[in-house]
Amino acid sequence: MLDPLRIPAATWSDPGVRDALSRRDVGALFRRISQLTGASQTRIGATVGLEQGYVSRVMAGRKVTSIEVLERIADGCRMSNEARAALGLAPCSRPCQNDMALPPPQRQSDPPVGRSWREDIRAAAQLWEGDVNRRDVIRQMAFSSAGYTLPALRWFTAPAPRNVEQTGLHTVGQPDIETIREMSATYRRLDNQYGGGHSRFAVARYLHQEVTPILKDGHYETSTGRKLLSAVAELTQLAGWQAYDVADHGVAQLYFTRALELAQAAGDAGLGAEILAAMSHQATYLGHGVTGVDLARAAKQTANRAGLTVLTAEASVMEAHAHASLRNEPACTAALHQAEITLDRADRGSAPQWLGYFNEAYLSAKFGHCFRALGKPAQAERFAARSLRMDEQYVRGKAFNLALLATTQAQQGEAERACAIGAEALTLTSRLRSARATRYVRELQAELAPYSQRSSVQQFIRRIDAVLGNRR
């Protein structure tokens, strides 16, 4: 992981920088910052939350006109208010320049931005539209663990709006809300069976073409409005999971963030906890274990507030996995124990529909991933085997669990068994559009490399390459 680029305060007084800002020439700005700091395109991209390829095109002359991207660049570079004004942006609410001078331990968190639920709807609608139209401003966003700080802070500090009501042309009723929920259930089933890539853009189109008009032009009172926002938040979160599953991590982060904002506007603490847990899952998967721990704890606190014991157990599992990724075995073990005892006393009948996947099989799989991350393949294998006592409708989940089991066997020197189980995982993965499933099979392939002289291993590795090809 790259360290954040710390741009000296004097940079904003540099004549070349000031000229680039006045012309709103982001390419010239990036080139000058690179000259002054020695930063690579990759590091600049990581600082401002943009993919290196997008930064490269901007530095080569591509114009940046989106206010959202300009704001992201200004925030990532921690521009002074004078520099922001030169770029044509409003001043920030914090003392930008003084804050830059503080060493990292003393830096204060940015305050959450106060905004209305209507602004949350506008932000979500802009995301859906940009995703459907494949706009680079959306597609080129890079994941940033710091990008989850403000949404999580706002979740705890900004109150839910008292009134979520609108006078529009078309009356919104329970049938409209049930339709959105039914669409969520249908797309969730397809996601589990075929992977996130199968219907990701269908979900985005549905949100853009069908949901946006209901939100913006509908007539609803507060009770209906909150139910509507909750249903939309659930579907938006699913879109985030799908983007995560196909490795569009910056897009997934935007979807999870918008979903959390809508859940807050709806006053739906349970769904908010589930979204925070999803954020933790993604952060840990991408190697940001500390952020994963923080988000899991936020999810657990929210689940406790919502009174959803099953969700509390899930949050404990996410925390355990994040600790395991950091090789903190005592903290991981404590969180796993808490998850077990919490799930044992949970009332499963009261759990929301979207939490149906969290059961003993899922818990066993997460235990397996934790022990694998801790370098304990024998324990991981035991739980991975248990995880296969699962509902067959979760095809992608079964592919994950088979790959996990085979990987733990390879780590213990049982190459033939690993190839046999891995073949099952590969067969399922070949039917999926899931970057995560592909990654797990490729990780198994790497674990088998020490045994590549064995004919069975050679045959299996050739089959992996033939089936997966360049699939990411």
Side-chain angles (χ1 to χ4, degrees), residues 241-455:
W241 269 115
Q242 292 177 318
Y244 170 13
D245 194 43
V246 297
D248 287 339
H249 289 292
V251 177
Q253 184 171 36
L254 290 173
Y255 270 101
F256 285 149
T257 300
R258 298 288 91 87
L260 187 66
E261 292 165 351
L262 292 171
Q264 183 169 46
D268 193 334
L271 183 57
E274 172 72 357
I275 296 166
L276 287 165
M279 291 174 166
S280 172
H281 195 298
Q282 184 191 25
T284 299
Y285 179 84
L286 293 175
H288 303 277
V290 173
T291 300
V293 169
D294 289 341
L295 289 167
R297 288 174 173 171
K300 182 159 57 176
Q301 183 175 338
T302 304
N304 286 334
R305 188 175 74 196
L308 290 171
T309 309
V310 177
L311 199 49
T312 302
E314 181 196 21
S316 294
V317 169
M318 297 304 170
E319 181 183 351
H321 198 183
H323 284 307
S325 74
L326 297 168
R327 294 301 183 97
N328 187 340
E329 185 173 348
C332 173
T333 303
L336 288 177
H337 177 67
Q338 185 62 46
E340 269 192 311
I341 62 176
T342 302
L343 190 61
D344 283 345
R345 59 183 173 81
D347 176 11
R348 303 305 302 274
S350 63
Q353 180 187 28
W354 41 256
L355 198 55
Y357 68 89
F358 188 77
N359 52 27
E360 284 72 15
Y362 185 91
L363 186 68
S364 294
K366 295 301 288 185
F367 270 58
H369 282 290
C370 287
F371 285 115
R372 181 195 167 194
L374 291 172
K376 297 179 177 295
Q379 292 94 319
E381 181 185 12
R382 185 167 67 252
F383 286 104
R386 289 183 192 175
S387 73
L388 293 172
R389 304 168 190 166
M390 59 186 298
D391 189 329
E392 293 295 321
Q393 70 173 322
Y394 295 103
V395 177
R396 181 182 53 200
K398 187 172 183 179
F400 291 169
N401 297 351
L402 285 167
L404 172 64
L405 177 58
T407 299
T408 62
Q409 292 167 341
Q411 289 174 333
Q412 296 177 81
E414 300 176 5
E416 279 71 25
R417 289 182 65 200
C419 288
I421 297 297
E424 296 182 55
L426 179 61
T427 297
L428 292 182
T429 299
S430 68
R431 305 170 188 167
L432 298 167
R433 295 176 65 181
S434 167
R436 286 191 293 160
T438 298
R439 170 173 157 173
Y440 290 141
V441 173
R442 290 297 190 186
E443 288 176 352
L444 169 60
Q445 183 178 13
E447 293 290 347
L448 288 168
Y451 312 101
S452 59
Q453 298 304 312
R454 301 185 187 183
S455 61

Side-chain angles (χ1 to χ4, degrees), residues 209-220:
Q209 296 174 359
E210 303 295 333
V211 174
T212 296
I214 295 174
L215 290 171
K216 289 188 172 182
D217 303 327
H219 176 95
Y220 41 86

Side-chain angles (χ1 to χ4, degrees), residues 101-243:
L102 292 175
Q106 294 175 289
R107 176 171 291 174
Q108 300 298 311
S109 296
D110 293 344
V113 178
R115 66 192 219 183
S116 72
W117 63 271
R118 286 188 173 86
E119 290 173 309
D120 292 333
I121 287 176
R122 280 196 292 271
Q126 287 173 358
L127 169 60
W128 305 333
E129 181 183 13
D131 195 15
V132 168
N133 294 328
R134 312 291 181 93
R135 291 178 181 165
D136 279 353
V137 62
I138 301 297
R139 306 285 294 163
Q140 299 297 336
M141 290 296 185
F143 176 87
S144 165
S145 61
Y148 278 148
T149 301
L150 279 180
L153 182 60
R154 185 185 178 218
W155 172 259
F156 283 106
T157 58
R162 293 182 180 179
N163 299 315
V164 181
E165 57 188 24
Q166 181 169 275
T167 304
L169 298 175
H170 308 289
T171 300
V172 178
Q174 190 62 30
D176 299 288
I177 296 169
E178 289 302 322
T179 297
I180 295 172
R181 294 202 182 279
E182 284 296 325
M183 293 299 289
S184 294
T186 297
Y187 283 126
R188 196 178 303 280
R189 184 170 62 253
L190 292 172
D191 178 59
N192 287 323
Q193 292 179 345
Y194 302 106
H198 180 269
S199 57
R200 186 175 111 57
F201 288 109
V203 173
R205 282 193 299 272
Y206 178 77
L207 286 165
H208 171 52
Q209 296 174 359
E210 303 295 333
V211 174
T212 296
I214 295 174
L215 290 171
K216 289 188 172 182
D217 303 327
H219 176 95
Y220 41 86
E221 304 297 330
T222 293
S223 175
T224 300
R226 285 181 175 166
K227 292 176 184 177
L228 174 63
L229 292 184
S230 176
V232 175
E234 179 186 343
L235 185 55
T236 303
Q237 185 223 14
L238 174 59
W241 269 115
Q242 292 177 318

